[in-house]
Amino acid sequence: MTIESAAPSHADAPPAAPFPGEPGEPSSASPPADPATPAPARKPRRPRPVLLLTCGLVVGTAAGGGIGYAVQANRPPTPLPRIQAVVPTYPAEVLDPAAAAEAAPAPLAIDGDLRMLLLTAPPGSTVWNDYPATPSWITVGERAERTANTAHNFVTLNEYGFRRAAEVDWKQNGLKVRITLIQRAADFAAGAGTRDTGLQPFTADANGGYRIAADPGYWTDTTEKYYLGTAVAQRGTVQMEVEVFGTQPVDAEVVKGLAKQQWERLV
């Protein structure tokens, strides 16, 4: 008796190996995942409303700009106003030179050489250090150095219209004399006049006066003291200043005499 082998049924067949990527057992190409290793974090998604709002803003801005440009481009051009210029006019009558000179601003009262207006050192006088013994021009810096606060006076002279200055110095009979003429610009001359109400007049027609200091002063950087007598007056844009220094109180008649002589050369 012949026994025939039966064909294996589907129930008896071994289970087929799953394809890679399908559910089931992992394939030999991919090693099994370690259960202790955490899964990588997923990139957070941007909320869709934010994306929609951003896109809407971009699209709305571009659309609005395009519509505005189209509206402006289709408008008719606005004509510019006509250029208006004032046409110069000239008087029909002939200009009178005398009348024009009368209407013009008055020139400076003194516009010549200030050195010619200064007193000169009297006979028998001597030189006072390196100061000019003959009428000479001095700079604004040299004028500022004649005072104790040099920097402050330098700034003040320039701020208040310093134009030029001339000076003469000498020594005689124990006295040191300095006479200075300072001229300022016309716009500053009125405000540069003397405002000292404690001055005594040295002559009737001078808009200034003199003063004799009762207390002594001291020369810069020394302990040598001096007594001072001063006189100031102004004519036009020129201010005169007379200074007399002595080791004893200065005689008022000496200061008055020099001031009167210098004033007479200005009028």
Side-chain angles (χ1 to χ4, degrees):
M1 181 174 64
T2 303
I3 300 174
E4 295 179 356
S5 60
S9 65
H10 293 284
D12 297 332
F19 290 100
E22 291 186 355
E25 295 182 2
S27 65
S28 59
S30 299
D34 187 0
T37 303
R42 298 179 63 183
K43 185 177 182 181
R45 285 188 174 184
R46 179 172 296 180
R48 290 188 175 182
V50 175
L51 293 175
L52 293 176
L53 179 60
T54 304
C55 294
L57 290 176
V58 174
V59 173
T61 303
I67 294 173
Y69 177 80
V71 171
Q72 186 67 23
N74 292 328
R75 287 180 178 176
T78 303
L80 296 176
R82 297 180 59 186
I83 299 176
Q84 298 180 357
V86 179
V87 180
T89 59
Y90 302 95
E93 65 276 6
V94 180
L95 181 64
D96 183 6
E102 185 72 19
L108 297 175
I110 300 175
D111 202 21
D113 192 341
L114 296 182
R115 297 174 299 175
M116 304 299 294
L117 301 176
L118 277 171
L119 291 176
T120 57
S125 61
T126 57
V127 177
W128 177 10
N129 293 343
D130 57 347
Y131 299 127
T134 59
S136 306
W137 296 111
I138 60 171
T139 65
V140 62
E142 291 172 329
R143 170 60 187 175
E145 288 178 351
R146 305 292 192 265
T147 57
N149 195 343
T150 301
H152 173 75
N153 284 279
F154 180 83
V155 173
T156 302
L157 286 169
N158 283 283
E159 286 183 345
Y160 288 91
F162 178 89
R163 183 183 173 197
R164 57 183 182 164
E167 179 184 304
V168 62
D169 303 78
W170 70 80
K171 292 194 305 182
Q172 190 177 36
N173 300 328
L175 299 176
K176 298 176 180 178
V177 178
R178 171 177 295 142
I179 302 177
T180 311
L181 297 179
I182 301 176
Q183 188 167 34
R184 291 177 169 82
D187 294 340
F188 296 90
T194 176
R195 293 179 291 273
D196 192 343
T197 58
L199 298 176
Q200 301 295 322
F202 58 83
T203 186
D205 60 339
N207 59 349
Y210 76 97
R211 176 194 295 275
I212 304 298
D215 299 325
Y218 293 89
W219 297 107
T220 305
D221 300 330
T222 67
T223 58
E224 182 183 359
K225 66 180 181 180
Y226 65 86
Y227 290 86
L228 176 63
T230 59
V232 292
Q234 182 171 336
R235 178 178 180 266
T237 58
V238 176
Q239 181 177 359
M240 75 171 218
E241 182 177 296
V242 177
E243 299 172 281
V244 180
F245 303 84
T247 56
Q248 299 296 327
V250 179
D251 186 357
E253 294 301 321
V254 174
V255 178
K256 291 168 59 177
L258 290 172
K260 186 176 181 179
Q261 293 178 50
Q262 182 57 66
W263 176 255
E264 289 174 350
R265 295 180 70 93
L266 297 180
V267 296

